[in-house]
Amino acid sequence: MKNDKIIENKVWFVTGASKGFGLSLVKQLLAAGHKVAATSRYVSSLVKAVGDISDNFLPLYVNLADEKSVAEAIQITVGTFDKIDVVINNAGYGIGGSVEELTDEEARESFDINVFGTLNVIREVMPFMRERKSGHIINISSIAGIAPGTGWALYAATKFAVIGLSEVLADDVKSMGIKVTVVAPGAFRTNFLTGDSLVMTKKPIHDYQEVRDSHTRYLQMDGHQAGDPEKAAAAMISLADDDNPPVHLLLGEDAYTRAMTKLGVLEKEFRLNEELSKSMAYQG
């Protein structure tokens, strides 16, 4: 992703900006002179966390599950800064529990933010990017969307969805000069494992002891994750100045290791059943 060109100041639209990756991104972007529209459900907390109030910073309240709210935020951003060069769909939260332990309401709320929120932003920003024949959409997934762990089925499902839609979107918009990257981070030292960003099943079932053990291991990582969120933010920002950015980007040694292990498992399983897979054609 190395690029020796002079970095052009751009207009960025960042969701989930009041904490974690989003906050690191906003601070670094503003420090570099970029214009940033930053969204949050809690604008006062966002403004306080960013601290750098300037004409380049546009804090916006957005309910990502409400397409009208998203559309209004996109319109305000374009009206203020004339364009949007880069979108980072960062907002999301974790949800822990087996499929049986989580309600339909909990599952739908998770998809509303982690998947449909991303879709709403993409749907609303695309007309402006198509008109300019340029833009870059960066969707934040998770290594859980590639190699999920025990007890995180619905979270993994939302992140699998983000990866799948990003892969196809990249093909759909390539001819229009628009780029798409899906980022799959591992464990970074953000507040992701706190109550602000993580929902756990309220009705644990005794038989799922492996799920409880998995959750305990993950929660014990809080504050000790190996990944530096400032480095992750810098890596994501650098994507916007890459003439040929990747469609997939793993962030974190743990993410790389888990992804490569999953590739090996898939290859082994596919090859094990190769003969059966190829035997489905009509005979004669």
Side-chain angles (χ1 to χ4, degrees):
M1 291 186 292
K2 185 178 180 181
N3 196 312
D4 295 327
K5 296 188 304 183
I6 296 175
I7 295 176
E8 174 194 355
N9 288 340
K10 294 181 169 64
V11 176
W12 297 66
F13 186 90
V14 181
T15 69
S18 60
K19 57 189 176 183
F21 287 141
L23 182 58
S24 294
L25 284 160
V26 171
K27 287 185 173 181
Q28 290 190 31
L29 288 167
L30 290 173
H34 295 280
K35 293 179 172 62
V36 183
T39 83
S40 175
R41 291 176 299 166
Y42 310 103
V43 174
S44 60
S45 297
L46 169 61
V47 172
K48 182 178 179 180
V50 172
D52 180 17
I53 307 303
S54 70
D55 291 340
N56 284 351
F57 176 46
L58 178 63
L60 295 167
Y61 167 80
V62 176
N63 175 4
L64 291 171
D66 181 350
E67 190 169 7
K68 291 182 179 178
S69 179
V70 173
E72 182 179 356
I74 295 291
Q75 292 284 353
I76 291 172
T77 301
V78 174
T80 302
F81 295 137
D82 296 325
K83 61 177 181 173
I84 296 175
D85 295 302
V86 187
V87 166
I88 298 191
N89 281 307
N90 166 71
Y93 68 93
I95 181 167
S98 72
V99 170
E100 184 182 2
E101 293 172 320
L102 293 166
T103 66
D104 181 73
E105 182 181 6
E106 289 171 323
R108 290 177 184 276
E109 286 177 352
S110 181
F111 271 86
D112 274 347
I113 300 301
N114 291 1
V115 180
F116 288 100
T118 295
L119 288 172
N120 285 338
V121 173
I122 293 169
R123 190 180 298 113
E124 295 302 327
V125 80
M126 274 302 302
F128 298 101
M129 289 188 169
R130 284 192 291 105
E131 183 179 5
R132 294 177 58 84
K133 296 293 186 289
S134 69
H136 195 164
I137 296 171
I138 300 172
N139 296 325
I140 311 302
S141 177
S142 167
I143 187 58
I146 298 172
T150 301
W152 305 97
L154 285 176
Y155 178 65
T158 65
K159 294 305 182 178
F160 268 105
V162 170
I163 290 174
L165 71 89
S166 299
E167 290 176 349
V168 179
L169 180 66
D171 282 339
D172 290 349
V173 302
K174 185 177 181 180
S175 64
M176 305 173 198
I178 301 167
K179 302 165 186 175
V180 178
T181 299
V182 60
V183 179
F188 280 79
R189 205 168 298 178
T190 66
N191 58 353
F192 182 76
L193 293 178
T194 69
D196 288 341
S197 301
L198 184 61
V199 173
M200 306 299 287
T201 177
K202 297 179 180 65
K203 297 180 179 180
I205 297 172
H206 177 73
D207 287 343
Y208 289 102
Q209 187 56 49
E210 291 183 354
V211 170
R212 303 287 84 74
D213 293 343
S214 173
H215 291 169
T216 298
R217 288 194 300 272
Y218 274 95
L219 293 174
Q220 287 174 343
M221 290 172 55
D222 187 31
H224 303 283
Q225 300 96 320
D228 181 346
E230 298 302 320
K231 290 182 178 179
M236 287 186 258
I237 292 169
S238 71
L239 289 169
D241 290 295
D242 192 334
D243 289 332
N244 188 29
V247 174
H248 306 85
L249 177 64
L250 301 169
L251 289 180
E253 184 175 355
D254 58 334
Y256 184 85
T257 299
R258 285 171 63 178
M260 297 307 290
T261 299
K262 178 65 175 287
L263 281 177
V265 170
L266 288 175
E267 182 177 15
K268 182 178 179 180
E269 287 191 345
F270 292 164
R271 292 191 183 281
L272 183 65
N273 295 287
E274 180 179 2
E275 184 176 351
L276 175 63
S277 298
K278 293 179 176 179
S279 67
M280 296 295 110
Y282 286 105
Q283 300 299 314

